[in-house]
Amino acid sequence: MVERPTTPKGRCGVSGRKKLFIDGRWVEAQNYESLKSPYSEETIAEIPQATILETESAIAAADRAAKVMAAMSSHQRAEILGKVTSLLSERAEEAARLIAAEAAKPLAMARAEVQRTIMTYKFSSEEARRIHGEQFAVDAAPGGENRTAYTVREPLGAVGAITPFNFPMNLVAHKV
């Protein structure tokens, strides 16, 4: 038997009108669309549909944030991802119910996706402390004797990514 989710009504519950998150704050959008439950066709929430101007504002904010993130140390980035892991762990059931309600996913599968997402952020947090370039000898060619080359990993900036509906939380985590 598949457990049908109930619509959560918590802090980030799905009922009501949602806002866009741009430049570190929640912003009322110009356009909205109803998000309907695939099970009952009831309206779950009114979700924002960003205009071109709102999208350009979000891109500009992301570009500014990318510069701040690039200046952070690896341990600071690791701590941010660790905090995401902790917060999501605290609200795992709520997140699973949101996924189940919005994506028509059985609750057991939604719970598994949330756990996988938590692990993705946990592994990313650990990797953020180890991420570095490579060092290698270049003596394969004449003139390279006693020389070493190295690479340095540097962030390139903000990116836009589109994720599919079937694993909405975990596939976002992979991009983050």
Side-chain angles (χ1 to χ4, degrees):
M1 181 170 117
V2 174
E3 182 181 352
R4 298 279 184 209
T6 56
T7 305
K9 307 269 193 236
R11 284 184 296 189
C12 76
V14 279
S15 65
R17 182 173 262 204
K18 302 303 163 198
K19 296 181 179 182
L20 297 167
F21 191 70
I22 300 175
D23 207 11
R25 57 191 169 80
W26 293 102
V27 180
E28 193 72 39
Q30 288 184 15
N31 301 319
Y32 285 84
E33 185 175 305
S34 292
L35 174 65
K36 299 202 179 277
S37 165
Y39 295 120
S40 66
E41 292 295 315
E42 79 174 292
T43 297
I44 296 172
E46 295 295 317
I47 56 172
Q49 300 295 303
T51 63
I52 291 172
L53 185 60
E54 291 163 336
T55 302
E56 288 172 347
S57 176
I59 291 168
D63 190 51
R64 288 189 301 276
K67 290 173 180 60
V68 172
M69 293 297 295
M72 284 185 177
S73 66
S74 59
H75 79 85
Q76 289 172 307
R77 288 190 298 270
E79 288 170 11
I80 290 169
L81 291 166
K83 182 71 171 178
V84 171
T85 301
S86 175
L87 291 171
L88 186 53
S89 294
E90 291 171 14
R91 298 177 68 184
E93 183 63 19
E94 181 182 2
R97 290 188 175 275
L98 285 169
I99 292 169
E102 293 181 12
K105 185 177 273 198
L107 192 52
M109 289 183 67
R111 286 176 178 139
E113 179 178 351
V114 171
Q115 291 308 308
R116 173 61 194 238
T117 304
I118 290 167
M119 294 310 298
T120 299
Y121 283 120
K122 182 178 186 300
F123 296 152
S124 296
S125 174
E126 294 167 0
E127 192 59 33
R129 294 181 190 277
R130 291 189 295 266
I131 197 163
H132 51 76
E134 296 179 60
Q135 181 177 330
F136 48 93
V138 291
D139 61 356
E145 296 85 0
N146 300 313
R147 293 181 186 224
T148 303
Y150 64 92
T151 62
V152 177
R153 291 184 176 260
E154 295 179 348
L156 297 176
V159 298
I162 298 172
T163 61
F165 72 94
N166 56 339
F167 288 93
M169 184 175 277
N170 194 40
L171 292 176
V172 166
H174 280 271
K175 284 147 184 68
V176 171

